Amino acid sequence: MRVAFVLGTASGGTGRHVLMLVEGLVKLGHQVLVIGPGSVGEQFSFGEAGARFVEVPVSDRPDPVNDVRAVLAIRRLTRGADVVHAHGLRAGALAALGRRGPVVTLHNALTTGGFVGVVYGVLERIVARRAGHVLTVSPDLGERMRRLGARDVRAALIAAPVPRPAKRTPQEIRDELKAGERPIVLTVARLAQQKGLETLLDVAAGPWQEGREPLFVVAGGGPLQGELQRRIDAEGLPVVLLGNRDDVPDLLGAAVALLMPSRWEGQPLTLREALMTGTPAVASDVGGIPEILGDAGILVPYGDTGRFRDAVRELLEELGTARTLAEAAGRRGREMPDGDDAVTNVLGVYRA
């Protein structure tokens, strides 16, 4: 089978998912072409995985001239493909304009309005009307695409890569962070609007029982770093911004819980990585989070600072609850699909 993937300016999670599909399909003897911006090709090295990579600029914002060029390039490059599989809304819309009936996986939802929201709505309608199959990472995305008239909407199966073993002990991490006796509550996220980090700071502000204040540790960089740091400094909040880290398994090993106050998530790799290390989570009840978390944590309505704080306090003070949720996290982690499951799933879609 000849499979062509189309990508835009993919995030880490989307790019890793496509790379895993490429590796699995090539291993099974399929011919794979990846079309996307040069930066994505450099970041994920699809060529080393056995695919042919062709650079086509697919920007993350509307650009009529470049968008027409991208549509024409996709049409030309995919002429001999048996399947075209686009990832992301913009890539999906351009692929659908370039060739009718592609498979489109939607990895994200819109969390802002205005002009961006209008453009997003137009792209959604293009995908709904012209895609052959739409795969979505959360039930709410699937329902929206059905309302817009998509013919075949299915749940996307995103594999959970097995995290590497921790290289440092929890005490070594605690010493690095100068945590003292404070329990560590970890967030791993890009510092951006979607991640709801203003709620995290509100939770950290307390009040907390004297001597029981947790240390909130945030791993990740992004456009809101300066703004968040200024508030942390001004209010003296017990929050440490670490920037981007490559030792998340070590951080998870030292944390009592993962805190995920996001406005929306699909199938976040960080949450599944936490579960696979036996770390329970306190997370927003949005998008695909409930299906992944199951009984391995506490769901809270997005933005409800008081209930987020109560949930963290429960994990810190109720040892039985913490132990039960940690056991459930380990169990959920063992149930996560792997790369072979994801490849088998997409092949079923391609042959439908």
Side-chain angles (χ1 to χ4, degrees):
M1 185 181 293
R2 293 164 295 183
V3 180
F5 289 107
V6 181
L7 293 172
T9 51
S11 66
T14 300
R16 288 193 295 272
H17 173 64
V18 174
L19 178 60
M20 177 215 62
L21 294 179
V22 168
E23 292 171 339
L25 290 169
V26 169
K27 182 180 176 182
L28 292 174
H30 300 288
Q31 297 178 38
V32 180
L33 167 68
V34 180
I35 300 167
S39 60
V40 172
E42 293 174 4
Q43 182 178 0
F44 296 102
S45 302
F46 296 110
E48 294 180 9
R52 175 184 169 221
F53 179 81
V54 178
E55 180 178 355
V56 173
V58 179
S59 64
D60 58 354
R61 295 183 180 279
D63 186 324
V65 174
N66 282 339
D67 287 348
V68 169
R69 289 173 178 167
V71 168
L72 294 175
I74 291 167
R75 181 177 299 165
R76 173 175 52 83
L77 290 166
T78 63
R79 193 168 292 131
D82 298 307
V83 176
V84 175
H85 188 172
H87 290 262
L89 183 61
R90 275 189 56 75
L94 295 177
L97 290 170
R99 172 169 165 159
R100 194 168 187 87
V103 178
V104 178
T105 298
L106 299 180
H107 292 266
N108 289 290
L110 181 68
T111 58
T112 58
F115 176 71
V116 173
V118 172
V119 172
Y120 195 95
V122 171
L123 298 178
E124 283 184 320
R125 284 168 174 78
I126 292 172
V127 170
R129 292 170 184 173
R130 294 182 63 90
H133 308 278
V134 179
L135 310 181
T136 61
V137 297
S138 68
D140 56 328
L141 273 182
E143 181 56 35
R144 179 169 177 79
M145 295 309 292
R146 290 187 186 92
R147 289 200 306 268
L148 291 173
R151 288 170 289 172
D152 182 24
V153 180
R154 309 182 186 202
L157 186 66
I158 309 295
V162 178
R164 65 158 178 79
K167 295 180 179 179
R168 292 188 289 168
T169 67
Q171 188 58 52
E172 288 174 322
I173 295 296
R174 296 182 62 79
D175 291 343
E176 177 200 340
L177 300 176
K178 298 180 173 58
E181 297 301 317
R182 292 177 293 177
I184 293 172
V185 176
L186 177 66
T187 294
V188 182
R190 185 168 184 266
L191 306 186
Q193 179 259 4
Q194 176 191 333
K195 300 303 181 178
L197 297 169
E198 70 283 355
T199 299
L200 183 151
L201 298 192
D202 292 340
V203 171
W208 298 97
Q209 183 178 344
E210 186 175 352
R212 301 295 295 261
E213 177 185 76
L215 177 64
F216 293 84
V217 175
V218 183
L224 295 183
Q225 183 155 354
E227 176 184 330
L228 294 170
Q229 190 62 61
R230 285 190 293 273
R231 181 179 168 192
I232 292 166
D233 294 341
E235 299 181 21
L237 300 178
V239 180
V240 177
L241 302 183
L242 297 179
N244 291 317
R245 300 280 291 223
D246 60 3
D247 60 346
V248 170
D250 301 50
L251 298 172
L252 285 168
V256 297
L258 179 77
L259 179 62
M260 184 170 281
S262 305
R263 296 169 184 265
W264 187 87
E265 293 284 353
Q267 296 185 29
L269 295 177
T270 298
L271 177 56
R272 288 179 294 171
E273 187 172 11
L275 298 179
M276 294 173 81
T277 61
T279 306
V282 175
S284 297
D285 187 0
V286 298
I289 288 177
E291 285 190 335
I292 294 175
L293 187 58
D295 62 350
I298 302 173
L299 290 169
V300 178
Y302 162 70
D304 191 331
T305 301
R307 289 178 66 175
F308 265 107
R309 191 181 299 119
D310 289 344
V312 172
R313 187 176 288 118
E314 181 179 357
L315 274 175
L316 299 183
E317 297 179 0
E318 301 291 337
L319 296 182
T321 298
R323 187 180 306 110
T324 298
L325 292 180
E327 291 172 355
R331 184 171 60 252
R332 289 289 293 172
R334 291 188 293 274
E335 297 169 353
M336 293 292 113
D338 61 15
D340 290 342
D341 295 326
V343 171
T344 299
N345 178 261
V346 295
L347 284 173
V349 176
Y350 297 166
R351 292 165 176 154

